[in-house]
Amino acid sequence: MALSYRKRIRDFFLIHLILAGVCNQAAADRTSLKIYQTLQADHFCFRRLNGTHEIGCSSDRTGNVGVVHLVSTEADIQTIVGNPDGTRYVAVLPVEFFNMGNMSILQDSKRVTGVIVLRRDNTLPSSGFSPDQTCPNQKFDLYAEDKEYSNCKKATWNPSNPATNMFFMRWDFPIFLLNNETSIDIIVEKCFNEHNLPKGDSKPRWPLCAAQLKTRMNAAKDSVTCIRRSGIMGSLTPVRYCDPLTDRNICSTLYPTYNNKTVDERSIIVVGARIDTFSMFDNLAPGADSSVTGMVTLLVAAQMLKQLRDAHPADTPKKNVLFLIFNGEAFDYIGSSRVAYDMEKGDFPVRPNSGVLLPAAIKMEHISHFLELSQVAPLGGTPTVYLHTDPITTKTTTVNDTANRLIMELEKAASEDWLKVPVQVSPNDQPLPPSSVQQFLKKDKKIAAVVVSNHNKQFANRYYNSFFDTWENLNDTNEGIEKTAGHLTKVAAMVALAVFKEVTGRSAPEIQLQDFRVAELLECYLLNSSCSLFEEVRSQPSGQTMARSYPLYVGVDPNGGNVNPSTVATLLLMAYLTGTHLENVTRDDCFAAAKNNRPYHYDWMHGTENQSGICVKSIAMLTMARSPAFEIGDMGSTEYSTWTESVWEEISLQIFLMPSWQQEAATLSAGIVVFLVSLGVVFCLNKEAALLFTPRALVGI
């Protein structure tokens, strides 16, 4: 009988434990919502790796927790790192305190578990902010092994500033950037000011407001280790730890080429630019002058050349023009090194197939000139355009003469009465600034290279490759978007006139500059991705009236079919501006033509408000922008970029009230005491079960 009652007691406790577990599971989310308040955190620092290092940020698996402390003065930094009570902090830095000096102090203290950066408006720091190196991409440029020009000995392109090299640091804690006003007010007013702000000389009383930052990254050490670990089959489902930085390049030609016709040596003029940039934070890579101004100028120059070609057809043009927009250039020239690699193999722009009509294979020996459009905004109101050449390749007389002839044509075009662009040629002994053409010169020293920029020995852009490189950077004189657009239109016309002369041998007439929608292009890339031009090239309207600009970070492509929206939009723009708009072609006929009429591409676009859709025939296409290192399997390559991006888990930023460690210890102790007392009670009940629970007959029944 006693055993029966013992069994009942055991079953009683088991049932209650099961019920408690079920209730806890059902109420877990609701309880979490009562404890934590989640903040909108779209921009966070994440981990990237190359052949030798890892950079960026990561958190512990369960997130990093610390007491929130708002930095209002430099003294607050010392308060955080010098607090003797052992408290761990999450430092909240207004953007004016976010610099390499303060971040290094916080990291070295070992007292900081995370950083939250607050950006309330679009004001730019007066001292500049570029987290890139002073000599960008120096280990993979043309001069890496040259004793005279390596490591920017002749010119420090990116001047030292408060953020220098911040992007390439490995930070021991997660970093978030908040630019949402609601989230900023919550963490400043409701969190810090209400709970953590000292009142007079007294310290704030517990519980204090704390934050949990979760940005757990799977990759570690370097790309070599990460890719090797990803290739280990430990289960039926392979685990990815990182992915190679990958997107697509964009290319087109002024005249079509065919694989059944030969391409003459030194008969191609390349006009190139880059599309990408970077910053420390996800979804935040504007690249206003770092990449957008050069790319927009290229698109407009391509449109001008198309119009000149159609208005003045040449039976047998002397040369052809290859337009190239590279991706991944901020990461050791991913896109340009891939194009150069494919050209060497004879696989550019597509792999050869003798049974199908395709574009002709373009190789290194086909290129005569390479004209690159770098940063070209008139920053500070200075419209001077600088022309750079390479001091190594121009030692060859033929290359020097070819480059000088192109420079002469550019200067002649710039001096036209209807242009008047001030031009200055950089010194002959000065190396090229960071530029994509260097990857081609490493392979072929017979190419004549000219880089067009807005600077001489130092970048005029003080926010190179940073989240501050926004429209406000281009509008530093407060003269509006039309001022910058007008300058870029003139630079595009200068390029178009010079290239047209090289291609046809004839001088071009005056170009009507007002016909080109440069201001709209700048709006599309810098302010509103639902702009009118992007709407025109989409197959159907997006339905949005205002959307943030696309980030211009290269990204990853783990599934083999992901292409950045900015890349797709730029491809369609290239087709729209340089292709043929076909009249009286239906949507179905356009799609049918796309399948049957190689090497041309056919795209159905929405068109202007007066159109119900339009079919555009063009030669614009995408090519792979992934480092050759991943094609040849050399993840530790010193010739090609080896950048990868970590796969990450849940990203979250939450605040909550955290008790002091004394209160936590007291709560734990009380719980242990209750547990031990409960064990004692159960033991006694179990021991005396026969006495306490023995049934007795009821009297009188």
Side-chain angles (χ1 to χ4, degrees):
M1 185 66 69
L3 289 175
S4 174
Y5 278 98
R6 288 173 183 167
K7 184 175 183 299
R8 291 182 185 180
I9 293 172
R10 184 189 63 198
D11 292 345
F12 173 81
F13 278 101
L14 284 175
I15 291 171
H16 277 73
L17 283 173
I18 293 171
L19 289 174
V22 171
C23 292
N24 285 338
Q25 181 67 30
D29 291 340
R30 190 175 302 171
T31 303
S32 176
L33 290 174
K34 292 179 180 179
I35 297 174
Y36 296 98
Q37 180 168 1
T38 301
L39 303 182
Q40 180 180 340
D42 298 328
H43 311 302
F44 56 91
C45 170
F46 57 100
R47 179 161 292 168
R48 279 157 282 207
L49 311 94
N50 62 16
T52 56
H53 294 84
E54 63 178 4
I55 65 171
C57 315
S58 180
S59 72
D60 296 335
R61 187 169 297 278
T62 57
N64 288 23
V65 175
V67 173
V68 170
H69 193 95
L70 176 65
V71 174
S72 301
T73 65
E74 295 293 342
D76 290 324
I77 299 285
Q78 298 306 317
T79 299
I80 292 174
V81 302
N83 194 331
D85 63 8
T87 303
R88 300 284 183 174
Y89 288 100
V90 168
V92 179
L93 302 180
V95 75
E96 58 267 26
F97 292 96
F98 183 55
N99 56 57
M100 188 66 176
N102 287 338
M103 291 294 291
S104 297
I105 292 172
L106 295 176
Q107 170 139 303
D108 294 342
S109 73
K110 307 299 181 183
R111 303 288 296 279
V112 174
T113 58
V115 169
I116 300 173
V117 182
L118 307 182
R119 190 183 186 199
R120 289 185 178 273
D121 55 43
N122 295 327
T123 303
L124 304 180
S126 58
S127 55
F129 189 99
S130 173
D132 207 336
Q133 300 166 325
T134 56
C135 191
N137 291 346
Q138 59 182 319
K139 293 184 179 180
F140 291 85
D141 65 16
L142 175 64
Y143 311 106
E145 305 296 329
D146 190 278
K147 294 182 180 179
E148 185 176 359
Y149 299 109
S150 62
N151 300 316
C152 294
K153 291 175 181 174
K154 292 277 188 174
T156 302
W157 298 111
N158 193 24
S160 182
N161 64 87
T164 295
N165 211 42
M166 190 184 291
F167 178 84
F168 294 95
M169 291 291 294
R170 182 193 183 279
W171 301 104
D172 296 335
F173 41 70
I175 306 173
F176 281 84
L177 184 143
L178 300 183
N179 56 6
N180 177 274
E181 196 65 34
T182 301
S183 296
I184 293 175
D185 286 341
I186 289 173
I187 204 162
V188 173
E189 300 296 336
K190 294 186 177 181
C191 178
F192 179 76
N193 287 347
E194 284 189 17
H195 300 280
N196 299 2
L197 183 65
K199 304 297 189 292
D201 295 332
S202 61
K203 293 183 178 181
R205 300 179 61 182
W206 296 87
L208 298 177
C209 184
Q212 181 192 55
L213 290 72
K214 187 180 293 186
T215 60
R216 177 65 179 179
M217 301 287 154
N218 292 343
K221 192 178 179 183
D222 52 44
S223 292
V224 179
T225 304
C226 176
I227 294 294
R228 184 179 68 245
R229 290 180 64 207
S230 298
I232 297 174
M233 293 292 292
S235 64
L236 294 177
T237 304
V239 178
R240 290 180 10 258
Y241 294 96
C242 64
D243 298 300
L245 296 189
T246 304
D247 197 41
R248 305 296 186 275
N249 299 315
I250 301 163
C251 71
S252 184
T253 54
L254 184 61
Y255 299 97
T257 64
Y258 305 97
N259 58 351
N260 57 5
K261 296 182 180 179
T262 59
V263 179
D264 296 334
E265 286 194 11
R266 309 301 170 191
S267 64
I268 300 288
I269 299 175
V270 175
V271 180
R274 61 181 262 208
I275 187 175
D276 71 296
T277 182
F278 64 61
S279 79
M280 290 182 64
F281 302 100
D282 188 44
N283 290 318
L284 201 61
D289 194 35
S290 301
S291 59
V292 169
T293 55
M295 176 177 60
V296 165
T297 304
L298 182 148
L299 289 170
V300 177
Q303 184 184 14
M304 291 176 175
L305 281 166
K306 181 258 184 185
Q307 293 184 2
L308 290 172
R309 178 202 68 191
D310 293 345
H312 308 279
D315 294 333
T316 53
K318 295 168 56 180
K319 296 181 185 295
N320 201 348
V321 182
L322 172 63
F323 303 106
L324 282 173
I325 298 178
F326 301 105
N327 216 327
E329 296 303 276
F331 292 92
D332 298 331
Y333 305 116
I334 291 174
S336 55
S337 64
R338 180 55 184 266
V339 172
Y341 173 80
D342 287 343
M343 283 186 174
E344 277 194 314
K345 292 178 58 183
D347 291 346
F348 183 84
V350 294
R351 291 183 177 178
N353 185 340
S354 58
V356 180
L357 185 62
L358 296 171
I362 298 176
K363 301 180 180 181
M364 284 289 179
E365 58 265 27
H366 297 150
I367 301 174
S368 62
H369 306 70
F370 197 120
L371 178 61
E372 181 165 350
L373 293 160
S374 185
Q375 307 170 82
V376 290
L379 298 180
T382 304
T384 302
V385 171
Y386 293 87
L387 306 179
H388 305 262
T389 56
D390 170 48
I392 296 177
T393 56
T394 52
K395 290 178 181 178
T396 303
T397 303
T398 305
V399 175
N400 186 57
D401 292 344
T402 304
N404 285 336
R405 188 171 65 249
L406 178 58
I407 288 174
M408 183 181 67
E409 293 298 338
L410 288 167
E411 290 178 318
K412 181 181 177 182
S415 65
E416 293 283 350
D417 291 336
W418 51 278
L419 277 184
K420 292 298 181 185
V421 177
V423 172
Q424 183 174 327
V425 180
S426 293
N428 292 333
D429 62 344
Q430 182 174 298
L432 290 172
S435 47
S436 304
V437 67
Q438 296 187 32
Q439 299 305 300
F440 293 80
L441 298 183
K442 287 166 70 173
K443 305 286 186 181
D444 188 344
K445 299 292 193 295
K446 295 181 180 179
I447 298 173
V450 177
V451 176
V452 182
S453 77
N454 59 3
H455 61 83
N456 188 12
K457 290 189 175 182
Q458 285 189 339
F459 292 163
N461 180 11
R462 297 182 300 144
Y463 309 99
Y464 182 74
N465 282 345
S466 88
F467 62 88
F468 285 111
D469 191 14
T470 57
W471 159 242
E472 286 73 22
N473 182 27
L474 301 189
N475 192 32
D476 57 354
T477 58
N478 296 316
E479 296 183 73
I481 199 169
E482 295 296 337
K483 177 75 173 181
T484 301
H487 176 74
L488 299 187
T489 307
K490 289 184 176 182
V491 175
M494 176 189 76
V495 170
L497 293 180
V499 171
F500 185 78
K501 180 63 179 295
E502 285 292 325
V503 169
T504 65
R506 296 181 296 179
S507 298
E510 180 177 344
I511 297 173
Q512 301 302 312
L513 302 182
Q514 69 276 8
D515 294 342
F516 299 92
R517 303 162 67 179
V518 183
E520 291 182 61
L521 283 169
L522 291 175
E523 177 195 354
C524 292
Y525 284 105
L526 300 178
L527 298 173
N528 176 22
S529 60
S530 294
C531 62
S532 57
L533 259 176
F534 278 2
E535 291 293 293
E536 289 176 28
V537 301
R538 292 186 173 107
S539 59
Q540 56 186 13
S542 66
Q544 294 179 302
T545 56
M546 188 69 181
R548 291 188 304 179
S549 59
Y550 291 130
L552 299 180
Y553 169 63
V554 57
V556 295
D557 182 17
N559 302 316
N562 297 335
V563 182
N564 279 338
S566 58
T567 304
V568 174
T570 305
L571 170 70
L572 294 174
L573 275 176
M574 176 69 82
Y576 190 61
L577 298 176
T578 64
T580 302
H581 295 199
L582 303 178
E583 303 291 339
N584 302 319
V585 176
T586 66
R587 184 188 185 101
D588 292 339
D589 290 342
C590 190
F591 288 148
K595 297 179 181 178
N596 304 319
N597 291 277
R598 295 183 178 182
Y600 292 99
H601 296 265
Y602 293 79
D603 296 286
W604 182 259
M605 301 182 184
H606 180 257
T608 62
E609 293 181 356
N610 300 326
Q611 296 173 316
S612 57
I614 186 171
C615 186
V616 177
K617 172 186 175 183
S618 74
I619 319 170
M621 61 186 298
L622 299 175
T623 68
M624 182 57 69
R626 181 171 56 230
S627 172
F630 300 103
E631 303 301 311
I632 61 180
D634 184 7
M635 269 58 76
S637 173
T638 57
E639 181 181 4
Y640 297 115
S641 169
T642 54
W643 284 101
T644 57
E645 177 189 295
S646 174
V647 174
W648 59 70
E649 301 171 7
E650 177 188 0
I651 304 297
S652 66
L653 172 57
Q654 299 176 314
I655 58 173
F656 63 99
L657 290 180
M658 184 171 73
S660 66
W661 69 268
Q662 294 94 336
Q663 184 177 349
E664 290 178 330
T667 303
L668 176 62
S669 300
I672 293 173
V673 169
V674 171
F675 174 70
L676 293 175
V677 170
S678 300
L679 286 179
V681 171
V682 171
F683 176 78
C684 293
L685 289 174
N686 191 49
K687 183 177 181 181
E688 303 297 333
L691 177 63
L692 295 173
F693 301 106
T694 300
R696 293 179 174 82
L698 295 176
V699 179
I701 298 180

